[in-house]
Amino acid sequence: MNAQELINIVPSLTPYKWYGKVTRVVGLTIESKGPQASIGDLCYIVVGKSQTKVKAEVVGFRDENVLLMPLNGTTDISPGSLVEATGKPLEIKVGAGLIGNVIDGCGELMSKAPLPKGLTSFPTDNAPPNPLSRPRIHEKMSLGVRAIDSLFTVGKGQRIGIFAGSGVGKSTLLSMLAKNSAADVNVIALIGERGREVKDFIERDLGEEGLRKSVLVVATSDQPALMRIKGAMTATAVAEYFRNQGLHVNLMMDSVTRFAMAQREIGLAIGEPPTSKGYTPSVFAMLPKLLERSGTDVKGSITAFYTVLVDGDDMNEPIADAVRGILDGHLVLDRKLANKGQFPAINVLRSVSRVMADIVDDVHKTSADQVRSYLSIYNDNEDLINIGAYKRGASKDIDEAILMYPKVINFLKQSTTEVTTIDQSVERLINEFAKGGRT
């Protein structure tokens, strides 16, 4: 830090430090008398004989007491523990040196090694870009997944939801996007994951190739709710930093549902009333604040993929419904397709990209519509076809759908090791389906 930077910092410094004392701990919530602090401020609670400092965040107030939520658990916190205010929210260190590393929700390396040198301080909670300053999406993003590139073409800066129940292939699809996409850097957030699955995802799904251009942010299910919230915020902040450098970033978050559950835990702990299926009002206020931070900016873009767990494959549960209304499209992974061995198990008829029509030409769009038409006609008559009740020649459209169905399924299937570009995918789509499948 040079002399001018030090001079610029001086006006923001204060000769005072504000302190308070813990009065009680109830569940996840710590109450303290003081210090003077604002919502979102980071505080340190001094615990034990070793005077260890536990990070906590101000989440509310009750009467004249400050409500704190710890980032590292409540162990060793006792009545009278000193609470020290920092006067600012959590900041992380970000830079190119983070690429290829795995960090936690507070921006520290999971390996416990010191952070690389040359990183810059960056706040985790930022406002979304001004809507009027957001450039329109006009450039296609090659993702390397044929079904998405051809039928749900994604633009740079688009935000897509991946909706699925458990065990339908969300993690595998994310790993394909990380390895095959044309983004400059990937930021992958694993929020509320089982601890065992983290290393599985890194070594089995992502591999060295994917990790080489990725930053992983991990907040496992055993960590406090606030740490899971910070994991999502930190991942988004890392993506924002790289976007500010003029890069095209892929942000992948698994999952938004666990982020919402963590916020519900916090809301209930501080006394919010449960509303829709037990979710508190703050959950539905936090979702747009998080999701709107990605997208285009005058400097770069964040193309974001957010997975949403749908209980019992119910697409109308509160979180799925709220997220679908905010994002620019959604991909629905179907358990029936996965059971048939079709991967990625994308249900073409229930999925949509809201910007595709603006970034593809008419031939591409017509070919994609033709594939949907084949699938729709076949699915509507599948029971009749399977039991032999349909007689060939009764309908020209059904006959053509039956003929083309195997070709459509073969087109949609893709192994995790198959690499394809958007140009190759679109060329194959047009060659096979542009003229009604007769080439």
Side-chain angles (χ1 to χ4, degrees):
M1 189 176 289
N2 59 39
Q4 186 58 48
E5 289 175 327
L6 289 170
I7 291 170
N8 293 338
I9 289 174
V10 169
S12 65
L13 298 177
T14 173
Y16 305 105
K17 272 199 171 182
W18 299 96
Y19 292 94
K21 285 190 175 182
V22 172
T23 55
R24 69 173 182 167
V25 177
V26 180
L28 303 173
T29 313
I30 302 164
E31 283 192 32
S32 69
K33 196 73 174 177
Q36 183 172 311
S38 304
I39 296 286
D41 279 1
L42 181 69
C43 293
Y44 292 109
I45 303 174
V46 183
V47 299
K49 295 179 181 179
S50 61
Q51 300 292 285
T52 304
K53 290 186 175 182
V54 174
K55 291 178 181 176
E57 185 177 292
V58 179
V59 294
F61 305 98
R62 182 174 291 137
D63 298 327
E64 295 183 3
N65 288 346
V66 178
L67 300 181
L68 300 155
M69 197 76 73
L71 285 161
N72 309 107
T74 56
T75 307
D76 294 332
I77 295 175
S78 59
S81 292
L82 202 63
V83 181
E84 177 186 328
T86 64
K88 58 183 181 181
L90 177 69
E91 290 188 348
I92 58 170
K93 296 285 187 179
V94 196
L98 279 186
I99 298 175
N101 285 300
V102 184
I103 61 175
D104 63 16
C106 292
E108 300 293 332
L109 293 181
M110 293 286 285
S111 63
K112 304 300 182 183
L115 287 168
K117 294 182 179 179
L119 304 183
T120 305
S121 291
F122 198 78
T124 59
D125 194 358
N126 302 300
N130 187 317
L132 296 181
S133 69
R134 284 185 187 265
R136 292 188 64 195
I137 298 171
H138 56 81
E139 190 176 352
K140 291 180 281 190
M141 168 70 86
S142 179
L143 298 173
V145 179
R146 187 165 49 248
I148 301 176
D149 282 340
S150 58
L151 302 180
F152 310 101
T153 309
V154 172
K156 289 182 178 178
Q158 188 174 350
R159 299 159 306 155
I160 294 283
I162 300 174
F163 294 75
S166 57
V168 190
K170 295 186 303 299
S171 297
T172 304
L173 180 57
L174 290 183
S175 70
M176 291 175 70
L177 296 173
K179 289 186 286 189
N180 301 340
S181 78
D184 298 315
V185 62
N186 299 309
V187 180
I188 305 171
L190 302 180
I191 308 301
E193 281 284 3
R194 292 178 284 270
R196 174 190 61 80
E197 292 187 341
V198 173
K199 201 160 187 180
D200 283 350
F201 178 81
I202 295 170
E203 296 184 358
R204 181 192 63 201
D205 297 331
L206 195 59
E208 289 185 15
E209 179 189 354
L211 186 60
R212 199 176 298 122
K213 67 170 188 175
S214 303
V215 179
L216 260 73
V217 183
V218 176
T220 51
S221 59
D222 61 294
Q223 293 181 305
L226 189 60
M227 189 61 118
R228 283 173 266 150
I229 295 288
K230 287 303 174 188
M233 295 295 188
T234 294
T236 307
V238 172
E240 287 170 329
Y241 170 84
F242 288 118
R243 178 177 64 185
N244 291 346
Q245 310 306 305
L247 301 178
H248 296 296
V249 186
N250 258 6
L251 171 63
M252 288 162 273
M253 189 175 295
D254 185 14
S255 70
V256 171
T257 307
R258 294 191 182 112
F259 167 86
M261 289 177 174
Q263 182 58 37
R264 176 175 63 182
E265 284 182 43
I266 293 172
L268 293 173
I270 63 176
E272 276 191 84
T275 52
S276 181
K277 286 197 175 179
Y279 288 100
T280 57
S282 63
V283 173
F284 301 100
M286 287 282 283
L287 282 173
K289 286 183 179 179
L290 175 71
L291 303 177
E292 288 286 356
R293 287 170 61 181
S294 55
T296 57
D297 195 0
V298 290
K299 296 175 182 176
S301 68
I302 299 174
T303 306
F305 297 87
Y306 300 98
T307 70
V308 181
L309 287 166
V310 284
D311 293 333
D313 299 323
D314 177 15
M315 286 289 292
N316 295 316
E317 62 95 24
I319 300 304
D321 202 40
V323 171
R324 192 168 57 246
I326 297 167
L327 299 179
D328 307 317
H330 54 271
L331 303 172
V332 178
L333 302 188
D334 195 317
R335 192 176 302 279
K336 290 181 180 178
L337 297 179
N339 291 340
K340 290 179 181 179
Q342 180 180 324
F343 292 99
I346 299 172
N347 187 319
V348 172
L349 300 178
R350 297 179 66 193
S351 306
V352 68
S353 169
R354 292 178 180 168
V355 304
M356 178 177 173
D358 298 329
I359 58 176
V360 303
D361 58 37
D362 290 340
V363 178
H364 181 175
K365 185 174 183 300
T366 303
S367 303
D369 289 343
Q370 185 66 68
V371 171
R372 292 189 187 91
S373 176
Y374 289 141
L375 285 171
S376 178
I377 293 170
Y378 187 89
N379 287 349
D380 287 345
N381 298 277
E382 186 173 15
D383 290 341
L384 293 176
I385 295 167
N386 289 340
I387 65 174
Y390 173 75
K391 302 300 180 184
R392 288 183 182 269
S395 167
K396 181 182 176 182
D397 290 339
I398 297 176
D399 287 346
E400 192 171 22
I402 293 171
L403 177 66
M404 296 301 296
Y405 186 73
K407 185 182 281 190
V408 170
I409 298 304
N410 186 55
F411 177 81
L412 295 176
K413 283 184 177 181
Q414 182 177 342
S415 69
T416 56
T417 57
E418 184 181 353
V419 179
T420 179
T421 66
I422 187 171
D423 292 335
Q424 292 169 336
S425 298
V426 174
E427 182 181 3
R428 180 175 168 185
L429 172 76
I430 293 172
N431 287 341
E432 295 188 8
F433 305 105
K435 298 179 180 179
R438 295 181 295 274
T439 57

